[in-house]
Amino acid sequence: MQTESVRSSGSSEPGRGCLRVYLGAAPGVGKTYAMLDEGARRAARGTDVVVGVVETHGRLRTAEQLGDLEVVPRRSVEHGRTTLTELDVDAVLARAPQVCLVDELAHTNAPGSRNTKRWQDVEELLEAGIDVVTTVNVQHLESLNDVTEAITGVRQRETVPDSFVRAAEAIELVDMSPSALRRRLAHGNVYPADRVDAALSQFFREGNLAALRELALLWLAERVDEGLERYRERHEIDATWATRERIVVGVTGGPESESLLRRAARIASRGTAAEGGAPWSALYVSRGDGLRQTGPARLEELRRTVQDLGGSFHTAVGDDAATAILDFARGRNATQVLIGASRRGRLSTLLRPGIGETIVTESGDIDVHIVTHDEARRREARVREQSALGHRRTLAGFVVGVLGPFALAALLLATPELHGLPTEAMLFMVLVVGTALLGGLRPAVAASLVSGGVLNYFFTPPVRTLRIATGENAVAVVLFVLVGISVALVVDRAARLALLARRAREEAATLSVLAHQLVHAGQDLDRLLRTTVELVDVDGVVLRSVDGTVLGRHGELVGTETVVPVGTDHELVLVGDGAPGGDDALLAAVVAHVTVLLERRAASAVKAEQRVLAEGERTRTALLAAVSHDLRTPLAAVKAAVSSLRDPGVPWSDQDRADLLETIEDGADRLDALVVDLLDMSRLQTGAVVARTDPVDVGAVVQRVVTGAGVEVDVPDDLPEARADAALLERVLANIVENALKHADGATVRVDATAVGGRVVVRVVDRGPGVPEQRRDEMFAPFQRLGDVPRGSGVGLGLAVARGLTEAMAGTLTAEDTPGGGLTLVVELPRAAS
C-alpha cells in the first residue's frame, strides 16, 4: 500500500477544525487501516483522539488496528424491523475531542437522522473546531459518478460533493496496484470467501481497477494544480513554472486555424504517458471595440474542432492580441505558445511589428512556435480594404486623387489674385483628406503624390518647371507629401473604423430584434419561419431535409430560390428576388437558431425514445420481480394438491379430497386473474385496447360486479346512462372493489353513483387506512402494492389496469380521502346523450 498526499495551500477558518481525507480507488486498498494508523500515531503523541465510526467489514487486521483508541458509542436508529447504528454527532460534540476518526464519508444516514449524509455530520464536527480524519473512494465523488458507472456498470447512490473534499487541509491517496488488490481479495482479506468469486469477476476486474486507479491519480493531480495556482496567485508569481508542459495556441478564426489546432494537438500528444499528453488550450482574441469579429458559427466550429482534438477552447477580449495571448498563457502557466505565420506584407511588417514579433519579444521563458500555413504572407490590408470600402469607392478615390489636383490647379490658376502659396498648399491638403475619406489609403497616397507634383509645377517658383528655386520650397513640398500621406493614413483608419462601427451598430440592432423574436418563437417552427420571412425580407421560406422532405414552410414560394445549408442534413430555402447571401450575419443568426431548434427536437425525440425504453425495461424488471413469487405460489399449491390426490398410498377422505380440489381451483383462479391482468397491462402499454363505447346502464354493471358480502350499493334508479364499454367498465369496477375489500379491514365497502353535469360518477368508498396524498400517484403505477399487503395478494396491477381501461373509455380514475378515514376511488365517465 502506498500513500501520496496533497495539502491545501489555504489555511482553515479561525475556530474551524481541519479535515484530512484518505482517498482510495476501490474498497480494500487500506483506507480505513491508514486512518486508524494515523489516529494511533496522534494518540501516541498525546493528542485526544476518538473513533466516531469505523467499518471494519470483518477484516481482522483492521479491527486489530483499533487498539486502545477510544470509541464513541454509535446512535441506534429504528428503521422498520431493523435497528441501524449511525455516528452519534451529539455524543462526539459533548465529548469534544481534538481529533475524530469518521469512516466512509459518502455514507447515507438512516431515515430519521438529523442529517441525510455523513459528510454533513462531519461538517458539524468541523464547525465545532474538531479535526476530522475520514475515508472515501473515488467512485463516490459526485463529479466522477457518471464516469465510474460507465467503467464498472454500477451506479453509486452514495456520493459526496467534490467541493467538500477539495476543501480538506490534506488529501492522501491510498494506492495499490490492481494485481495486488486482486490478490488481497483472493486471500479473503477484503470480502468473505462466498463473495470473492463474484467480486473478482465483476467490480474487481483488473481493467476496472486500473481505470479507477487512473481516475484517482488524475483527480488528485488536478487538486495539486489548483493548489499551485492558488499559491502563485497569492504570491503574485507571473513567471512560468514548468512543472508540466502546457500549450496555448492562438487562433484568428481564419482558414489556417484548423492547421494550427492540429499542430498543437500533435505537440501535446508527445507529453509523458503518465500525464496522458500535455494539456492544451486554444484562444481566440476578440477586439474590445467589437469590430471585425469572427462570426459565432465559425467560433462554434472551432470549438467543436478543439474538443474533438482533446483541447479546451477559450475567448478573450483585448485590442492588443499579443498581450492578451501572453496574459492568458501566463495565467495557465503555459510553457509553449503556438501562433500562425503572419499574413501581413513585408512593408507592413517593417512599419509596425506584428503579433508574432511582439509575442516572441515579450514571451520571456515561454517557448514560441510560429507555424507556417497556406495563408501566410497574404496582404491583410487588401482583404480589409475590399471588404470595408468596396471596389467602387476605391476606384472613385483614385479618380478624385489623380484628376482632382489638376482640376483644383485650374481653378486656382484662374483666380491668382485671391490666394497665395500657403492657401494653395492647404487646399491641396483638403483634397488629400477628402480622397482618403472617399477611397481609403491607396487613393489618398496617390492624391498626395500628384498634389505635391502639381503644387510644385504650378505654384512653387520657378513655376511651370519641376525645379525648385530655394531649399525652403523644396522642404515645403517634401513635407507636404509626407504630411499628406500621414493625414491620409489617419483619416483612412478613422473612416474605416467609423464604417465598421456603423455596420456593427446596425447589425447589433437588427440582431437584437432577431434575438427577441426568435427567443419568443421557442420551439415553434412555424413562428420561427414567419419571423425569418419578416426579418430577412424575403417572400417565403422553406425548411427541408437534404433528401427533399419538407419540415416547414411559410409565405409565397414563387421566385428566385437561395439555398442556405443548415448543418449537414437540412437546408433553408429563401424564396424572393431580394434573398440575401449565405454570409449575411442576420441570416447566420437565423440559421443558428434553426439548428438549435432541430437539435432540440432531435434530443426530445431521443429522450422520449429512451424514456419508453427505460419504462419498458423497468416494467420487465418489475414483472420478473413481482410475478415470480405470485406465479410460483399458486403453481406450487396446485402441484402439491394434484400430487397428493394422485398418491395411491394415502386414503383421502371426502373432506380432504374436497379441500385439495378447492386448493387447486383457488390456485387456478389466481393464475387466471394474474394472466388476465398481465395481458390487459400489456395491451394498454402497446395501445392495443380499443373501447367500443355505447350507452351503458351503470347500475346493472355495478350489480353484476357486487356479488359477494361486504359491499353496500347505493345507485338511484333514475341514474342516466354513461357512455362506456360495458365489458371494460365491469373489469374496472371489479378491480376497484377487490382492492377496496383487501384494505377495508373487514369494514363494509360502499359503492354509489350519481350524475354531475355531463358526467356519471361512480364512487367506491372504504374505511381502511387510506393512502397519503403524496403517494396516490404510485397507486396507479404497475406493480405497486402500498401498505401491509401480504405476498400472494396480487402483483399490483389491478388499479393500473383499472385506470388504463377507464382512460380508454375517455373517463378518469382518481383517489380522494374518505371523510372520517379511508380512501375513495372515483370513476367519472361521459354521460350518454339522452
Side-chain angles (χ1 to χ4, degrees), residues 5 37-38 54 149 160 237 239 285 329 334 407 449 463 485 508-509 556 561 586 590 593 612 641 661 685 729 735:
S5 179
D37 183 61
E38 179 178 344
V54 164
E149 180 184 11
V160 60
I237 299 174
V285 180
L449 295 174
V463 296
I485 294 175
E556 298 292 334
E561 293 188 354
L586 185 61
V590 172
H593 196 86
V612 171
L661 290 174
Q685 290 184 335
L729 179 58
N735 285 1

Side-chain angles (χ1 to χ4, degrees), residues 524-748:
D524 186 347
L525 179 59
D526 292 336
R527 183 174 180 179
L528 175 59
L529 295 180
R530 184 170 63 252
T531 301
T532 302
V533 169
E534 295 171 355
L535 292 178
V536 185
D537 193 21
V538 292
D539 298 330
V541 62
V542 177
L543 178 63
R544 67 191 182 194
S545 58
V546 292
D547 61 4
T549 303
V550 176
L551 303 180
R553 64 181 71 195
H554 181 77
E556 298 292 334
L557 303 179
V558 178
T560 304
E561 293 188 354
T562 301
V563 179
V564 181
V566 179
T568 57
D569 300 326
H570 300 85
E571 54 191 21
L572 197 66
V573 182
L574 305 175
V575 182
D577 296 335
D583 59 345
D584 185 85
L586 185 61
L587 183 58
V590 172
V591 170
H593 196 86
V594 172
T595 303
V596 171
L597 185 146
L598 293 175
E599 289 176 350
R600 286 180 178 175
R601 284 192 166 189
S604 298
V606 171
K607 185 177 180 180
E609 183 178 352
Q610 290 176 342
R611 186 165 54 247
V612 171
L613 292 175
E615 181 64 23
E617 183 64 27
R618 190 188 70 82
T619 300
R620 285 191 293 271
T621 303
L623 176 63
L624 291 175
V627 173
S628 57
H629 178 276
D630 292 273
L631 283 174
R632 286 198 302 268
T633 301
L635 284 174
V638 170
K639 183 176 180 180
V642 172
S643 298
S644 299
L645 289 173
R646 289 171 57 85
D647 188 353
V650 179
W652 298 105
S653 66
D654 292 341
Q655 183 59 43
D656 291 337
R657 189 179 300 276
D659 290 342
L660 291 172
L661 290 174
E662 184 179 354
T663 299
I664 294 172
E665 184 178 14
D666 180 64
D669 289 341
R670 289 172 59 187
L671 286 173
D672 177 68
L674 176 60
V675 170
V676 169
D677 280 344
L678 289 173
L679 290 175
D680 284 343
M681 198 70 241
S682 175
R683 292 167 58 209
L684 287 169
Q685 290 184 335
T686 58
V689 174
V690 179
R692 298 180 178 179
T693 56
D694 295 300
V696 173
D697 185 350
V698 175
V701 174
V702 171
Q703 292 299 332
R704 289 199 299 272
V705 170
V706 181
T707 56
V711 181
E712 175 186 333
V713 178
D714 182 12
V715 179
D717 295 335
D718 59 349
L719 180 69
E721 292 181 324
R723 191 157 192 83
D725 186 311
L728 297 184
L729 179 58
E730 187 172 339
R731 284 294 316 282
V732 170
L733 295 179
N735 285 1
I736 295 175
V737 171
E738 179 184 3
N739 179 79
L741 289 171
K742 286 180 183 177
H743 295 84
D745 293 333
T748 300

Side-chain angles (χ1 to χ4, degrees), residues 133-214:
V133 184
T134 187
T135 66
V136 69
N137 282 329
V138 68
Q139 62 265 34
H140 294 294
L141 296 174
E142 181 65 40
S143 67
L144 301 178
N145 195 250
D146 293 340
V147 180
T148 56
E149 180 184 11
I151 294 171
T152 64
V154 179
R155 180 75 173 180
Q156 297 295 337
R157 302 298 179 186
E158 297 181 328
T159 59
V160 60
D162 291 57
S163 58
F164 184 80
V165 180
R166 285 200 301 267
E169 182 195 32
I171 304 173
E172 188 160 341
L173 177 65
V174 184
D175 190 30
M176 180 176 290
S177 68
S179 57
L181 181 55
R182 284 171 61 84
R183 283 197 301 272
R184 286 200 67 203
L185 188 66
H187 294 160
N189 296 329
V190 179
Y191 291 148
D194 59 342
R195 296 178 58 189
V196 169
D197 290 339
L200 285 172
S201 61
Q202 296 175 10
F203 185 89
F204 286 84
R205 294 196 300 269
E206 189 161 356
N208 287 1
L209 297 177
L212 291 174
R213 186 188 189 198
E214 182 178 7

Side-chain angles (χ1 to χ4, degrees), residues 69-98:
L69 291 174
E70 179 185 346
V71 179
V72 177
R74 299 192 192 185
R75 179 176 55 88
S76 298
V77 179
E78 299 295 332
H79 180 57
R81 300 179 181 179
T82 306
T83 300
L84 305 175
T85 59
E86 299 290 355
L87 171 66
D88 194 334
V89 178
D90 291 328
V92 175
L93 293 175
R95 172 65 175 74
Q98 291 177 283

